[in-house]
């Protein structure tokens, strides 16, 4: 089983749990006039809708996280390649400078060209010098960390919504109003937390 399939199965089980809770509440209501069951069904439906939204947003954040992570890795690999070439050019210039005829016009030109190319590897405004690549890589890392933080917040919110569904479902079985109230308040708090996390306010 791949991580992606496991992730989808986990999300499906969460939605199935909410659906079962709704069906149970509807069944209880059908058997007789049980206003609490009807209220519980409405609360569970609202929480389940918030859960679906949070799960979708969390998946988008995870995808963005992976995208920025791969981009940063690619840029750093390019940076390493430039760094290796610059080191080679510096070494070439040093070797040429140590030659007996280093002062000759031809050798001096080769030394100057190697030094110039090494400087171009280090910084090339508007192109892909090492300094420009490092800046781009850091930008990608900042975006990656931002999406990772957002994904973490949405996962916490999803956990709270799942727990609230369980509490409200148990309130239908036990007939305990406190559980339904507590579950509803937890669901509202988790939904608010998920909204703040999605907007990157947290």
């Amino acid at each position: 089983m791949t991580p992606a399939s496991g992730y989808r199965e986990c999300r499906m089980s969460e939605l199935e749990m909410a659906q079962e809770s709704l069906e149970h509440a509807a069944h209880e209501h059908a058997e007789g006039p049980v206003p609490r069951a009807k209220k519980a069904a409405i609360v569970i439906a609202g929480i389940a809708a918030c859960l679906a939204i949070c799960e979708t947003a969390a998946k988008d954040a995870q995808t963005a996280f992976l995208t920025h992570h791969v981009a940063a890795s690619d840029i750093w690999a390019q940076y390493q390649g430039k760094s290796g070439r610059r080191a080679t050019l510096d070494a070439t210039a040093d070797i040429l400078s140590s030659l007996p005829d280093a002062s000759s016009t031809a050798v001096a030109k080769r030394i100057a060209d190697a030094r110039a190319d090494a400087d171009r590897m280090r910084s090339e405004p508007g192109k892909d010098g090492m300094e420009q690549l490092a800046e781009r890589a850091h930008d990608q890392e900042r975006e990656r960390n931002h999406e990772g933080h957002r994904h973490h917040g949405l996962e916490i919110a999803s956990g709270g919504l799942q727990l609230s569904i369980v509490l409200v479902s148990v309130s239908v079985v036990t007939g305990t109003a406190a559980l339904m109230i507590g579950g509803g308040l937890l669901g509202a708090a988790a939904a608010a937390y998920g909204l703040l996390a999605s907007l990157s306010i947290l």
Side-chain angles (χ1 to χ4, degrees):
M1 180 184 294
T2 64
S5 62
Y7 181 86
R8 285 193 296 270
E9 289 181 6
C10 179
R11 299 312 175 211
M12 288 176 62
S13 65
E14 292 164 0
L15 294 177
E16 287 171 0
M17 179 182 67
Q19 184 179 1
E20 289 175 4
S21 299
L22 281 170
E23 291 173 355
H24 182 73
H27 177 69
E28 290 289 331
H29 181 62
E31 291 181 347
V34 187
R36 184 174 297 144
K38 184 176 182 180
K39 292 177 183 177
I42 294 172
V43 172
I44 291 173
I47 295 172
C50 292
L51 176 60
I53 293 171
C54 275
E55 292 298 343
T56 301
K59 186 176 181 180
D60 289 341
Q62 186 180 44
T63 301
F65 172 88
L66 294 173
T67 299
H68 290 299
H69 179 72
V70 171
S73 298
D74 289 345
I75 293 172
W76 281 124
Q78 190 176 357
Y79 177 94
Q80 291 297 329
K82 291 270 186 176
S83 178
R85 290 173 62 189
R86 180 170 179 256
T88 300
L89 290 167
D90 281 335
T92 299
D94 290 340
I95 292 172
L96 291 173
S97 298
S98 65
L99 294 177
D101 58 344
S103 59
S104 68
T105 304
V107 176
K109 183 178 183 307
R110 292 178 61 188
I111 293 173
D113 289 344
R115 298 289 187 198
D117 287 341
D119 289 339
R120 185 167 51 83
M121 293 295 107
R122 181 181 60 82
S123 179
E124 191 174 11
K127 295 187 179 180
D128 291 334
M130 290 171 62
E131 292 180 357
Q132 290 73 35
L133 289 171
E135 184 177 354
R136 285 169 50 197
H138 287 312
D139 288 341
Q140 291 293 333
E141 288 175 341
R142 280 191 290 270
E143 289 295 329
R144 178 197 64 190
N145 295 338
H146 168 73
E147 293 297 338
H149 181 72
R150 193 164 72 93
H151 177 261
H152 181 66
L154 288 166
E155 284 292 297
I156 292 175
S158 296
L161 290 168
Q162 293 165 31
L163 181 57
S164 67
I165 289 175
V166 172
L167 290 176
V168 177
S169 301
V170 172
S171 75
V172 176
V173 178
T174 62
T176 306
L179 285 175
M180 185 171 71
I181 294 172
L185 291 175
L186 176 60
Y193 187 90
L195 177 62
L196 294 175
S198 180
L199 296 176
S200 302
I201 296 176
L202 293 175

